[in-house]
Amino acid sequence: MASFSPLRVEAMEPHRWRLLDDLRYTRPTGRLDVEAWSALGLSVVSAEGGGFTVTVAAGYETDFGSAPRMMWWACSPVDIAFAAVVHDKMYGVVNTSGLSFCEKRSLRAVSDSV
């Protein structure tokens, strides 16, 4: 089962938060091309026994996902906060890379699955 370290944030402005501590997401099973993602600037390592751990450094700013308020009855930002931080970080790494459109689209799909 995947796990997250504690999430501590401070409010920056409406709908923006800053991580006060590193956030770690560990997925004990599953595959992720650790070398490729590391080369893009993501802090990721292979986990013992398989799987991987992604670390999002303290200071990272997020909006915790962009679910419209009228949809919060189904999925509020609080419910998705941990996953949204990792997802946003992975998307940011992809978006700022010099990769082609097709490569970016492929890596965004990986981010969505993580």
Side-chain angles (χ1 to χ4, degrees):
M1 181 173 189
S3 64
F4 291 93
S5 63
L7 177 62
R8 287 187 349 110
V9 297
E10 67 178 337
M12 301 300 299
E13 56 187 63
H15 309 291
R16 297 291 301 173
W17 291 266
R18 178 183 298 143
L19 295 182
L20 295 175
D21 301 316
D22 290 354
L23 175 67
R24 286 180 188 76
Y25 166 67
T26 300
R27 189 166 169 180
T29 60
R31 298 192 44 146
L32 186 71
D33 188 338
V34 170
E35 284 186 33
W37 281 96
S38 293
L40 292 173
L42 185 68
S43 179
V44 58
V45 295
S46 296
E48 188 175 316
F52 56 89
T53 298
V54 174
T55 301
V56 181
Y60 181 74
E61 292 184 20
T62 182
D63 64 358
F64 285 142
S66 49
R69 190 171 187 86
M70 64 186 210
M71 297 301 293
W72 285 10
W73 65 271
C75 182
S76 78
V78 173
D79 296 335
I80 62 169
F82 290 88
V85 171
V86 174
H87 179 269
D88 287 354
K89 179 62 177 179
M90 292 178 80
Y91 256 61
V93 166
V94 169
N95 290 341
T96 58
S97 72
L99 299 173
S100 71
F101 173 79
C102 290
E103 291 170 314
K104 287 181 179 182
R105 187 173 67 188
S106 176
L107 289 174
R108 286 186 194 115
V110 172
S111 302
D112 292 341
S113 71
V114 168

